[in-house]
Amino acid sequence: DAGITQSPRHKVTETGTPVTLRCHQTENHRYMYWYRQDPGHGLRLIHYSYGVKDTDKGEVSDGYSVSRSKTEDFLLTLESATSSQTSVYFCAISNGQSYNEQFFGPGTRLTVL
Amino acid sequence: ILNVEQSPQSLHVQEGDSTNFTCSFPSSNFYALHWYRWETAKSPEALFVMTLNGDEKKKGRISATLNTKEGYSYLYIKGSQPEDSATYLCASWGEKLTFGTGTRLTIIP
């Protein structure tokens, strides 16, 4: 299994509070991604990174920011959480080979009350 | 086809029967088609990555075909077993990697 961990695995927070989710990899892969998974929508890309300090927006980036100061860590921040951001968040990594094949972390279940 | 679409959304199959389902994707700017297997309470795991028209891939009882000209891929499971119960996701890599919503397969013992 690819060495990807996410923390926390579960979080309950209140509307308006900041939340940071962490993705950590031990594979030294260049690319890292944050997705959210909601019923009826499958996996939707929030942000991705193609190197240290190099990030770009995905299709549902509003309300989220990311940072990557080290190859192994990719942080997703909700500056002011809203109930619409209640979701399961998956981190994924890719080495850019095999046509961007993704290896997924275990997921973080976030509930915003 | 503008988005990645999978059908059916869900499927119940008797143990031992064979089944198949479909992923449709935009045929323009196509680079690759991914299939992932996603068990409940786990994370998606890659099954196949296919790129060429006519590609066929096989892993045990699971196989997949690809038609890039018409923009579809089929996933086949032969002799379904209870452990095949999962959601099967496809993702098309064109300008970006776009996931379908999945086919949820339940095998009835």
Side-chain angles (χ1 to χ4, degrees), chain B residues 54-70:
Chain B
D55 251 357
E56 290 189 32
K57 298 268 185 171
K58 186 175 181 181
K59 185 180 290 187
R61 294 178 291 99
I62 303 176
S63 60
T65 61
L66 179 67
N67 183 321
T68 61
K69 293 183 179 179
E70 296 182 43

Side-chain angles (χ1 to χ4, degrees), chain A:
Chain A
D1 290 344
I4 313 168
T5 56
Q6 293 183 229
S7 58
R9 294 292 313 280
H10 302 271
K11 186 169 182 67
V12 180
T13 191
E14 294 189 350
T15 297
T17 60
V19 176
T20 295
L21 308 183
R22 181 183 183 232
C23 177
H24 179 79
Q25 61 145 330
T26 57
E27 304 295 321
N28 200 36
H29 283 1
R30 177 181 175 188
Y31 300 91
M32 298 184 77
Y33 309 83
W34 277 108
Y35 294 92
R36 60 177 290 174
Q37 187 247 332
D38 304 291
H41 289 281
L43 288 167
R44 292 183 293 173
L45 182 65
I46 305 171
H47 282 279
Y48 67 99
S49 169
Y50 46 97
V52 173
K53 298 187 179 177
D54 291 324
T55 65
D56 206 348
K57 296 179 180 180
E59 61 181 299
V60 290
S61 59
D62 286 349
Y64 302 95
S65 62
V66 289
S67 66
R68 191 170 179 198
S69 58
K70 298 185 289 185
T71 298
E72 56 266 35
D73 289 325
F74 193 33
L75 303 181
L76 177 71
T77 297
L78 291 67
E79 301 290 347
S80 177
T82 67
S83 58
S84 64
Q85 293 176 311
T86 293
S87 187
V88 180
Y89 291 85
F90 285 93
C91 174
I93 64 175
S94 169
N95 60 11
Q97 298 176 13
S98 192
Y99 295 90
N100 207 23
E101 183 180 21
Q102 314 261 295
F103 299 93
F104 288 87
T108 294
R109 183 174 293 277
L110 176 67
T111 303
V112 184
L113 301 175

Side-chain angles (χ1 to χ4, degrees), chain B residues 31-51:
Chain B
Y31 290 116
L33 192 284
H34 299 203
W35 280 103
Y36 293 86
R37 183 171 178 274
W38 193 356
E39 290 182 71
T40 302
K42 295 188 178 181
S43 49
E45 292 183 350
L47 280 173
F48 306 115
V49 178
M50 296 185 291
T51 59

